[in-house]
């Protein structure tokens, strides 16, 4: 579990509502300290939900909410939690929030709930949530912990959505269920009549789970060639 | 009996937790650097899964189910109860192992507490609910998916030990290549998908 740098200087400085440090907390996890590609947290439930954009989007939003609010709650309680039982306290808080998210989704979008219920349940053990609680919320003030949680959830969501967009367009020729390119008149670009796009074939490999892993591997490759500091030296 | 064997092979090979659902990836990627530690963690996961899946079945069907002892549908409580069961059983297992077999405790030591947050354990419990297994099926499913997880992590560790001698592009080294390897292993395991073990039993 990679610890992010939290300088002790933040304690002594004058508290700002939304200063440079706060913005850094939100923006850093989106690229340079991304929970999926740099900290290797939360890959578990990430990859199975990315064949289409809609479930990926819902998963991203629910994980962002859960990380944000669990960070907030644990940070508020951090002085009262005995060290020996902190894992169980954290798990109960996370499980409570995940249950709330799951029940709301079940009430408003039953179809997606049906597909995602196992994976939403798994965000309880999603390492991002636990990892941020341990690394940040246990030692920092509530407002900053909340921002850290939202930032990390967003970084995770961004990776989910990038992968889901690539997989849905190349695998199904669609985006959010809207048909873009394919071999019939239902699609926006009909490959049977269009001379320009006649070469297009939906790629069956992209629908298979394995392609998500290749895409994450390639994303890591791109990110690390851009930012040499992240290269694994071992 | 045939059904149980079928579930066992399905959960261990055909619908392997890691390679076809990507569950338990965090520790799969973090602990697969050497075969020795992978064997330790794999063993611990088999044990904990074989223990917690039947216990969680007992919680979810006779207690929380609509026909259970409270005669009401309490399934919305299952996340909290499942994770509490898992945390408590891991803690119990840790204490029991420490008392009765210190050598095994030293071998597994750091991995036992990690298992609480291994998605494979909770994942198996949730899949067991989603697929409506009965008690015997749930037990076999727990053991089978534990063995499947152990096979996957040991194979991965063996590959990663070898790949240290290959010339991987620097930005891809470590995590990047591990992802791509897992994808390739997933494709290899997919070739088992068409097999229905039931055909060979009669």
């Amino acid at each position: 579990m990679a610890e992010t740098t939290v300088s002790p200087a933040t304690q002594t400085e004058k508290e700002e509502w939304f200063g440079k440090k706060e913005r850094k907390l939100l923006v850093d996890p989106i690229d340079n300290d991304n929970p999926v590609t740099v900290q290797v947290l939360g890959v578990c439930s990430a990859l199975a939900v990315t064949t289409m954009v809609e479930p990926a989007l819902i998963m991203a939003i629910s994980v962002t909410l859960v990380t944000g609010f669990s960070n907030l709650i644990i940070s508020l309680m951090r002085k009262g939690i005995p060290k020996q039982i902190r894992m169980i306290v954290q798990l109960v808080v996370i499980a409570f929030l995940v249950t709330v998210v799951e029940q709301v989704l079940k009430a408003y979008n039953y179809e997606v709930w049906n597909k995602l219920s196992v994976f939403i349940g798994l965000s309880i053990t999603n390492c991002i949530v636990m990892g941020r609680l341990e690394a940040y919320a246990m030692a920092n003030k509530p407002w900053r912990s909340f921002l850290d949680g939202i930032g990390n959830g967003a970084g995770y969501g961004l990776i989910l959505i990038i992968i889901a967009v690539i997989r849905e367009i190349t695998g199904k020729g669609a985006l959010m269920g809207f048909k873009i390119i394919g071999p019939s008149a239902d699609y926006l670009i009909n490959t049977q009549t269009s001379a320009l796009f006649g070469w297009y074939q939906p790629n069956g490999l992209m629908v298979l789970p394995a392609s998500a892993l290749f895409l994450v591997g390639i994303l890591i490759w791109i990110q690390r060639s851009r930012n040499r500091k992240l290269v694994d030296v071992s | 009996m045939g059904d149980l064997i079928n579930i066992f092979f399905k959960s261990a090979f055909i619908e392997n937790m890691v390679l076809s659902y990507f569950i338990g990836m965090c520790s799969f990627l973090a602990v697969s650097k050497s075969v020795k530690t992978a064997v330790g963690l794999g063993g611990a996961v088999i044990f904990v899964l074989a223990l917690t899946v039947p216990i969680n079945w007992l919680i979810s069907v006779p207690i929380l189910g609509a026909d259970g002892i409270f005669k009401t549908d309490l399934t919305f409580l299952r996340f909290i109860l499942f994770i509490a069961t898992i945390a408590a059983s891991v803690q119990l297992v840790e204490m029991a192992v420490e008392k009765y077999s210190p050598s095994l405790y030293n071998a597994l030591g750091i991995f036992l507490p990690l298992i609480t947050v291994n998605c494979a354990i909770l994942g198996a419990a949730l899949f067991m609910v989603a697929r409506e297994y009965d008690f015997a099926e749930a037990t076999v499913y727990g053991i089978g998916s534990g063995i499947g997880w152990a096979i996957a992590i040991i194979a991965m560790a063996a590959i990663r030990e070898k790949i240290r001698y290959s010339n991987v592009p620097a930005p891809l080294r470590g995590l990047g290549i591990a992802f791509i390897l897992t994808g390739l292993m997933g494709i290899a395991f997919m070739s088992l998908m068409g097999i229905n073990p039931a055909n060979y039993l009669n």
Side-chain angles (χ1 to χ4, degrees), chain A residues 177-197:
Chain A
F178 178 74
K179 292 175 170 162
I180 292 176
I181 184 165
S184 79
D186 296 346
Y187 291 88
L188 190 66
I189 302 170
N190 187 345
T191 49
Q192 281 177 331
T193 53
S194 161
L196 197 59
F197 291 100

PDB file of all heavy atoms in Angstrom, chain A residues 177-197:
ATOM      1  N   GLY A 177     -24.836   2.989 -24.712  1.00  0.00           N
ATOM      2  CA  GLY A 177     -25.979   2.341 -25.336  1.00  0.00           C
ATOM      3  C   GLY A 177     -26.402   2.993 -26.649  1.00  0.00           C
ATOM      4  O   GLY A 177     -27.253   2.464 -27.360  1.00  0.00           O
ATOM      5  N   PHE A 178     -25.806   4.158 -26.999  1.00  0.00           N
ATOM      6  CA  PHE A 178     -26.131   4.832 -28.260  1.00  0.00           C
ATOM      7  C   PHE A 178     -25.279   4.224 -29.365  1.00  0.00           C
ATOM      8  O   PHE A 178     -24.053   4.232 -29.289  1.00  0.00           O
ATOM      9  CB  PHE A 178     -25.843   6.332 -28.117  1.00  0.00           C
ATOM     10  CG  PHE A 178     -26.090   7.124 -29.359  1.00  0.00           C
ATOM     11  CD1 PHE A 178     -27.390   7.403 -29.757  1.00  0.00           C
ATOM     12  CD2 PHE A 178     -25.032   7.583 -30.130  1.00  0.00           C
ATOM     13  CE1 PHE A 178     -27.618   8.138 -30.907  1.00  0.00           C
ATOM     14  CE2 PHE A 178     -25.266   8.314 -31.282  1.00  0.00           C
ATOM     15  CZ  PHE A 178     -26.559   8.590 -31.664  1.00  0.00           C
ATOM     16  N   LYS A 179     -25.958   3.672 -30.406  1.00  0.00           N
ATOM     17  CA  LYS A 179     -25.215   2.916 -31.417  1.00  0.00           C
ATOM     18  C   LYS A 179     -24.490   3.855 -32.373  1.00  0.00           C
ATOM     19  O   LYS A 179     -25.123   4.691 -33.023  1.00  0.00           O
ATOM     20  CB  LYS A 179     -26.181   2.006 -32.171  1.00  0.00           C
ATOM     21  CG  LYS A 179     -26.708   0.919 -31.273  1.00  0.00           C
ATOM     22  CD  LYS A 179     -27.736   0.078 -31.940  1.00  0.00           C
ATOM     23  CE  LYS A 179     -28.035  -1.132 -31.066  1.00  0.00           C
ATOM     24  NZ  LYS A 179     -29.275  -1.785 -31.410  1.00  0.00           N
ATOM     25  N   ILE A 180     -23.169   3.725 -32.478  1.00  0.00           N
ATOM     26  CA  ILE A 180     -22.403   4.653 -33.292  1.00  0.00           C
ATOM     27  C   ILE A 180     -21.983   4.032 -34.616  1.00  0.00           C
ATOM     28  O   ILE A 180     -22.199   4.596 -35.678  1.00  0.00           O
ATOM     29  CB  ILE A 180     -21.164   5.152 -32.525  1.00  0.00           C
ATOM     30  CG1 ILE A 180     -21.616   6.024 -31.360  1.00  0.00           C
ATOM     31  CG2 ILE A 180     -20.254   5.961 -33.433  1.00  0.00           C
ATOM     32  CD1 ILE A 180     -20.513   6.485 -30.490  1.00  0.00           C
ATOM     33  N   ILE A 181     -21.359   2.865 -34.553  1.00  0.00           N
ATOM     34  CA  ILE A 181     -20.809   2.305 -35.772  1.00  0.00           C
ATOM     35  C   ILE A 181     -21.070   0.800 -35.797  1.00  0.00           C
ATOM     36  O   ILE A 181     -20.850   0.122 -34.797  1.00  0.00           O
ATOM     37  CB  ILE A 181     -19.306   2.663 -35.887  1.00  0.00           C
ATOM     38  CG1 ILE A 181     -18.710   2.180 -37.205  1.00  0.00           C
ATOM     39  CG2 ILE A 181     -18.498   2.148 -34.721  1.00  0.00           C
ATOM     40  CD1 ILE A 181     -17.373   2.821 -37.501  1.00  0.00           C
ATOM     41  N   GLY A 182     -21.603   0.298 -36.904  1.00  0.00           N
ATOM     42  CA  GLY A 182     -21.916  -1.122 -36.965  1.00  0.00           C
ATOM     43  C   GLY A 182     -22.545  -1.497 -38.298  1.00  0.00           C
ATOM     44  O   GLY A 182     -22.840  -0.615 -39.118  1.00  0.00           O
ATOM     45  N   PRO A 183     -22.776  -2.791 -38.518  1.00  0.00           N
ATOM     46  CA  PRO A 183     -23.189  -3.243 -39.846  1.00  0.00           C
ATOM     47  C   PRO A 183     -24.700  -3.267 -40.073  1.00  0.00           C
ATOM     48  O   PRO A 183     -25.198  -4.184 -40.700  1.00  0.00           O
ATOM     49  CB  PRO A 183     -22.611  -4.665 -39.890  1.00  0.00           C
ATOM     50  CG  PRO A 183     -22.646  -5.107 -38.474  1.00  0.00           C
ATOM     51  CD  PRO A 183     -22.524  -3.903 -37.611  1.00  0.00           C
ATOM     52  N   SER A 184     -25.457  -2.293 -39.562  1.00  0.00           N
ATOM     53  CA  SER A 184     -26.886  -2.257 -39.900  1.00  0.00           C
ATOM     54  C   SER A 184     -27.385  -0.825 -39.860  1.00  0.00           C
ATOM     55  O   SER A 184     -26.667   0.082 -39.427  1.00  0.00           O
ATOM     56  CB  SER A 184     -27.690  -3.123 -38.928  1.00  0.00           C
ATOM     57  OG  SER A 184     -27.881  -2.430 -37.724  1.00  0.00           O
ATOM     58  N   ALA A 185     -28.610  -0.614 -40.291  1.00  0.00           N
ATOM     59  CA  ALA A 185     -29.132   0.751 -40.424  1.00  0.00           C
ATOM     60  C   ALA A 185     -29.414   1.403 -39.073  1.00  0.00           C
ATOM     61  O   ALA A 185     -29.609   2.608 -38.988  1.00  0.00           O
ATOM     62  CB  ALA A 185     -30.393   0.728 -41.276  1.00  0.00           C
ATOM     63  N   ASP A 186     -29.436   0.608 -37.980  1.00  0.00           N
ATOM     64  CA  ASP A 186     -29.671   1.171 -36.650  1.00  0.00           C
ATOM     65  C   ASP A 186     -28.542   2.093 -36.228  1.00  0.00           C
ATOM     66  O   ASP A 186     -28.716   2.962 -35.376  1.00  0.00           O
ATOM     67  CB  ASP A 186     -29.747   0.052 -35.598  1.00  0.00           C
ATOM     68  CG  ASP A 186     -30.927  -0.858 -35.835  1.00  0.00           C
ATOM     69  OD1 ASP A 186     -31.794  -0.460 -36.634  1.00  0.00           O
ATOM     70  OD2 ASP A 186     -30.964  -1.941 -35.229  1.00  0.00           O
ATOM     71  N   TYR A 187     -27.362   1.870 -36.774  1.00  0.00           N
ATOM     72  CA  TYR A 187     -26.196   2.584 -36.283  1.00  0.00           C
ATOM     73  C   TYR A 187     -26.049   3.929 -36.989  1.00  0.00           C
ATOM     74  O   TYR A 187     -26.510   4.125 -38.109  1.00  0.00           O
ATOM     75  CB  TYR A 187     -24.937   1.745 -36.514  1.00  0.00           C
ATOM     76  CG  TYR A 187     -24.878   0.527 -35.644  1.00  0.00           C
ATOM     77  CD1 TYR A 187     -25.462  -0.666 -36.048  1.00  0.00           C
ATOM     78  CD2 TYR A 187     -24.257   0.580 -34.402  1.00  0.00           C
ATOM     79  CE1 TYR A 187     -25.416  -1.789 -35.248  1.00  0.00           C
ATOM     80  CE2 TYR A 187     -24.211  -0.535 -33.592  1.00  0.00           C
ATOM     81  CZ  TYR A 187     -24.794  -1.721 -34.016  1.00  0.00           C
ATOM     82  OH  TYR A 187     -24.741  -2.821 -33.207  1.00  0.00           O
ATOM     83  N   LEU A 188     -25.370   4.861 -36.311  1.00  0.00           N
ATOM     84  CA  LEU A 188     -25.142   6.193 -36.859  1.00  0.00           C
ATOM     85  C   LEU A 188     -24.304   6.092 -38.132  1.00  0.00           C
ATOM     86  O   LEU A 188     -24.593   6.726 -39.141  1.00  0.00           O
ATOM     87  CB  LEU A 188     -24.414   7.045 -35.811  1.00  0.00           C
ATOM     88  CG  LEU A 188     -24.291   8.535 -36.091  1.00  0.00           C
ATOM     89  CD1 LEU A 188     -25.663   9.170 -36.066  1.00  0.00           C
ATOM     90  CD2 LEU A 188     -23.395   9.174 -35.052  1.00  0.00           C
ATOM     91  N   ILE A 189     -23.236   5.288 -38.082  1.00  0.00           N
ATOM     92  CA  ILE A 189     -22.427   5.054 -39.272  1.00  0.00           C
ATOM     93  C   ILE A 189     -22.651   3.602 -39.672  1.00  0.00           C
ATOM     94  O   ILE A 189     -22.276   2.698 -38.927  1.00  0.00           O
ATOM     95  CB  ILE A 189     -20.932   5.280 -38.982  1.00  0.00           C
ATOM     96  CG1 ILE A 189     -20.711   6.692 -38.469  1.00  0.00           C
ATOM     97  CG2 ILE A 189     -20.106   5.013 -40.228  1.00  0.00           C
ATOM     98  CD1 ILE A 189     -19.318   6.919 -37.948  1.00  0.00           C
ATOM     99  N   ASN A 190     -23.270   3.404 -40.821  1.00  0.00           N
ATOM    100  CA  ASN A 190     -23.546   2.034 -41.262  1.00  0.00           C
ATOM    101  C   ASN A 190     -22.370   1.535 -42.090  1.00  0.00           C
ATOM    102  O   ASN A 190     -22.110   2.027 -43.186  1.00  0.00           O
ATOM    103  CB  ASN A 190     -24.841   2.030 -42.067  1.00  0.00           C
ATOM    104  CG  ASN A 190     -25.276   0.620 -42.414  1.00  0.00           C
ATOM    105  OD1 ASN A 190     -24.498  -0.320 -42.299  1.00  0.00           O
ATOM    106  ND2 ASN A 190     -26.511   0.482 -42.842  1.00  0.00           N
ATOM    107  N   THR A 191     -21.654   0.530 -41.565  1.00  0.00           N
ATOM    108  CA  THR A 191     -20.434   0.102 -42.253  1.00  0.00           C
ATOM    109  C   THR A 191     -20.730  -0.618 -43.562  1.00  0.00           C
ATOM    110  O   THR A 191     -19.845  -0.778 -44.383  1.00  0.00           O
ATOM    111  CB  THR A 191     -19.602  -0.834 -41.362  1.00  0.00           C
ATOM    112  OG1 THR A 191     -20.458  -1.834 -40.836  1.00  0.00           O
ATOM    113  CG2 THR A 191     -18.930  -0.094 -40.252  1.00  0.00           C
ATOM    114  N   GLN A 192     -21.987  -1.052 -43.745  1.00  0.00           N
ATOM    115  CA  GLN A 192     -22.286  -1.743 -45.004  1.00  0.00           C
ATOM    116  C   GLN A 192     -22.435  -0.776 -46.168  1.00  0.00           C
ATOM    117  O   GLN A 192     -22.169  -1.114 -47.312  1.00  0.00           O
ATOM    118  CB  GLN A 192     -23.571  -2.561 -44.851  1.00  0.00           C
ATOM    119  CG  GLN A 192     -23.306  -3.855 -44.124  1.00  0.00           C
ATOM    120  CD  GLN A 192     -24.562  -4.651 -43.888  1.00  0.00           C
ATOM    121  OE1 GLN A 192     -25.655  -4.091 -43.756  1.00  0.00           O
ATOM    122  NE2 GLN A 192     -24.422  -5.955 -43.833  1.00  0.00           N
ATOM    123  N   THR A 193     -22.861   0.472 -45.868  1.00  0.00           N
ATOM    124  CA  THR A 193     -23.050   1.427 -46.953  1.00  0.00           C
ATOM    125  C   THR A 193     -21.916   2.442 -47.022  1.00  0.00           C
ATOM    126  O   THR A 193     -21.591   2.942 -48.090  1.00  0.00           O
ATOM    127  CB  THR A 193     -24.379   2.184 -46.787  1.00  0.00           C
ATOM    128  OG1 THR A 193     -24.392   2.730 -45.467  1.00  0.00           O
ATOM    129  CG2 THR A 193     -25.564   1.255 -46.971  1.00  0.00           C
ATOM    130  N   SER A 194     -21.313   2.762 -45.867  1.00  0.00           N
ATOM    131  CA  SER A 194     -20.282   3.793 -45.861  1.00  0.00           C
ATOM    132  C   SER A 194     -18.976   3.239 -46.433  1.00  0.00           C
ATOM    133  O   SER A 194     -18.455   2.237 -45.937  1.00  0.00           O
ATOM    134  CB  SER A 194     -20.059   4.286 -44.435  1.00  0.00           C
ATOM    135  OG  SER A 194     -18.828   4.924 -44.338  1.00  0.00           O
ATOM    136  N   ALA A 195     -18.444   3.903 -47.463  1.00  0.00           N
ATOM    137  CA  ALA A 195     -17.193   3.442 -48.066  1.00  0.00           C
ATOM    138  C   ALA A 195     -16.017   3.747 -47.161  1.00  0.00           C
ATOM    139  O   ALA A 195     -15.038   2.996 -47.079  1.00  0.00           O
ATOM    140  CB  ALA A 195     -16.997   4.110 -49.426  1.00  0.00           C
ATOM    141  N   LEU A 196     -16.148   4.849 -46.419  1.00  0.00           N
ATOM    142  CA  LEU A 196     -15.029   5.300 -45.587  1.00  0.00           C
ATOM    143  C   LEU A 196     -14.778   4.365 -44.398  1.00  0.00           C
ATOM    144  O   LEU A 196     -13.652   4.120 -44.000  1.00  0.00           O
ATOM    145  CB  LEU A 196     -15.350   6.709 -45.092  1.00  0.00           C
ATOM    146  CG  LEU A 196     -14.197   7.537 -44.550  1.00  0.00           C
ATOM    147  CD1 LEU A 196     -13.135   7.713 -45.622  1.00  0.00           C
ATOM    148  CD2 LEU A 196     -14.700   8.878 -44.073  1.00  0.00           C
ATOM    149  N   PHE A 197     -15.869   3.821 -43.822  1.00  0.00           N
ATOM    150  CA  PHE A 197     -15.720   2.999 -42.620  1.00  0.00           C
ATOM    151  C   PHE A 197     -15.974   1.518 -42.875  1.00  0.00           C
ATOM    152  O   PHE A 197     -16.271   0.761 -41.974  1.00  0.00           O
ATOM    153  CB  PHE A 197     -16.663   3.503 -41.522  1.00  0.00           C
ATOM    154  CG  PHE A 197     -16.251   4.832 -40.983  1.00  0.00           C
ATOM    155  CD1 PHE A 197     -16.886   5.992 -41.406  1.00  0.00           C
ATOM    156  CD2 PHE A 197     -15.210   4.930 -40.075  1.00  0.00           C
ATOM    157  CE1 PHE A 197     -16.499   7.221 -40.919  1.00  0.00           C
ATOM    158  CE2 PHE A 197     -14.827   6.155 -39.593  1.00  0.00           C
ATOM    159  CZ  PHE A 197     -15.457   7.313 -40.013  1.00  0.00           C
TER     160      PHE A 197
END
